[in-house]
Amino acid sequence: MSARDPIADLRRIAFLLERANEATYRVRAFRSAAKALAALPAEEVAERARAGTLTELSGVGDVTARCVAESLAGEEPVYLRRLVATEGTDLDAAATALREALRGDCHTHSDWSDGGSPIEEMALAAVELGHEYLVLTDHSPRLKVARGLTADRLRRQLDHVAAVNDALPKGFRILTGIEVDILADGSLDQEEELLARLDVVVGSVHSGLNDERAKMTRRMLAAIANPHLDILGHCTGRMVASRPAGVTGPGDRAHRPRTRSESDFDADAVFAACAERGVAVEINSRPERQDPPKRLIRRALEAGCRFAINTDAHAPGQLDWQQFGCERAALCGVPADRVVNTWKADRLVKWARTRR
């Protein structure tokens, strides 16, 4: 049997572990092994597999070495075969149609802030999923626990994204963006000149989540009135389960609550302002967020809002979590023509520019 690509198999295993929300250490083991082997000539990898010395390499353990040996022997690694056999659940027809209509993801993170993987890995995973674009939205400076990007770091990231885009497959592009903190007074946590340069701006509340109702409502309405805000991210801030494993960035090492109740705000006023200003409401697909809850998705739909079904992915495998958001959107009757990331990249960028 002809040999398989052991590095591709290791990366596929890591992707499936991330998607299944498995423990971070398991994901890291396979990504570290893939990185270690990618730095070596293929001939050396094969020779080490024959000699049984793969585990002498930093980042390669017994399990990953066995997977490599199976790949080089032309066999699908047992570990991978088991993951494939047990992955996923079927979506119903409405959710499937909505998922198939999506062209990209408007909320993702890289290791420039609290994500666990380089921009290039996130982009290539999006390509494999069939996306046409990926909006990179690392955090803004006030969120220090997540290594939020200062203005200077964001400028460097914009240059880096331009270089990465030149090397990506034709027909796919990374769009520039940010998940900007909505501050206590409703202002956005980044220089206006920089926000104006970005393709898409997601704004989220990350602090003062227990503010009283009137204060939180004023804060959100002020942010929505800002012409640079395109998408209102995870609007209630709730956590319905513990933060998933699989996120390896430094922000994830901070103490996080296992659950968190919803912020209190006047949803009718906020969604009316979103509809009036053309700000899309995010349907966040992260399993531990499920934000907003279905009752608020329905109210936003009735208010005339647009939506963005995003993953808020911090690792490549999490980019396939859009199915969870699609299931909740379909249950609430959200039509595809009200979802901005069913649009092509040029239309999405033009929409954001026109709003400003």
Side-chain angles (χ1 to χ4, degrees):
M1 299 173 66
S2 59
R4 294 167 59 93
D5 182 342
I7 297 172
D9 280 344
L10 291 172
R11 288 174 173 161
R12 181 63 180 166
I13 290 170
F15 179 93
L16 292 173
L17 288 171
E18 287 166 348
R19 186 169 69 179
N21 204 11
E22 290 287 349
T24 300
Y25 75 89
R26 288 196 178 98
V27 177
R28 188 181 294 122
F30 289 94
R31 290 211 178 277
S32 296
K35 184 176 181 180
L37 297 185
L40 301 177
E43 296 79 10
E44 181 178 345
V45 173
E47 177 55 37
R48 283 183 173 275
R50 284 192 293 270
T53 60
L54 282 170
T55 55
E56 295 177 4
L57 297 170
S58 176
V60 180
D62 291 337
V63 173
T64 51
R66 185 160 57 250
C67 290
V68 171
E70 290 166 347
S71 290
L72 290 173
E75 303 169 5
E76 182 178 38
V78 172
Y79 201 109
L80 176 57
R81 189 162 65 246
R82 288 173 179 164
L83 283 174
V84 171
T86 58
E87 67 173 320
T89 55
D90 292 336
L91 301 178
D92 67 24
T96 298
L98 190 51
R99 175 64 187 87
E100 290 174 350
L102 296 180
R103 296 176 181 269
D105 193 330
C106 295
H107 185 171
T108 68
H109 296 276
S110 75
D111 61 2
W112 281 63
S113 66
D114 65 340
S117 296
I119 294 170
E120 295 86 343
E121 284 191 23
M122 296 295 289
L124 290 174
V127 171
E128 291 176 3
L129 287 172
H131 287 340
E132 297 174 15
Y133 54 85
L134 181 79
V135 186
L136 179 63
T137 56
D138 280 323
H139 288 286
S140 62
R142 293 283 185 97
L143 203 62
K144 295 185 184 300
V145 71
R147 294 179 65 232
L149 273 61
T150 62
D152 286 342
R153 288 184 67 217
L154 179 55
R155 289 188 181 94
R156 291 199 297 274
Q157 185 182 80
L158 295 180
D159 292 338
H160 183 72
V161 167
V164 172
N165 269 334
D166 288 340
L168 289 172
K170 186 177 180 181
F172 178 89
R173 64 199 263 209
I174 302 169
L175 300 181
T176 59
I178 190 170
E179 184 184 12
V180 63
D181 263 30
I182 297 174
L183 302 179
D185 62 356
S187 60
L188 303 183
D189 179 33
Q190 192 49 273
E191 295 177 6
E192 288 208 357
E193 172 269 328
L194 269 174
L195 294 176
R197 286 179 58 186
L198 300 174
D199 293 321
V200 177
V201 173
V202 177
S204 305
V205 174
H206 289 107
S207 61
L209 292 165
N210 293 322
D211 282 352
E212 55 93 18
R213 179 182 178 87
K215 182 177 180 181
M216 181 63 79
T217 301
R218 288 194 300 271
R219 180 181 183 182
M220 296 174 77
L221 291 177
I224 292 163
N226 189 310
H228 296 299
L229 183 69
D230 303 311
I231 299 171
L232 179 63
H234 48 70
C235 63
T236 78
R238 75 174 186 171
M239 293 283 187
V240 297
S242 61
R243 189 153 178 100
V247 180
T248 57
D252 233 51
R253 291 196 289 268
H255 294 294
R256 301 296 181 97
R258 293 187 64 83
T259 60
R260 184 168 61 215
S261 60
E262 300 170 22
S263 294
D264 189 16
F265 59 92
D266 185 338
D268 290 332
V270 166
F271 294 148
C274 285
E276 179 183 355
R277 296 277 183 170
V279 172
V281 174
E282 177 180 75
I283 297 176
N284 190 290
S285 300
R286 294 190 68 83
E288 83 279 18
R289 284 195 181 274
Q290 300 179 37
D291 193 2
K294 291 192 289 293
R295 73 177 195 284
L296 292 186
I297 295 176
R298 293 187 182 100
R299 286 167 74 175
L301 183 64
E302 291 167 1
C305 294
R306 288 193 171 105
F307 298 89
I309 301 176
N310 298 327
T311 60
D312 193 355
H314 287 64
Q318 296 174 8
L319 289 169
D320 207 20
W321 283 356
Q322 277 182 318
Q323 59 180 315
F324 304 136
C326 288
E327 288 172 338
R328 293 171 54 244
L331 286 171
C332 297
V334 175
D337 61 7
R338 294 273 286 275
V339 180
V340 299
N341 46 329
T342 63
W343 300 343
K344 292 184 177 180
D346 287 344
R347 182 182 176 189
L348 181 69
V349 171
K350 183 178 180 181
W351 164 72
R353 297 283 180 213
T354 301
R355 289 193 58 265
R356 295 171 198 173

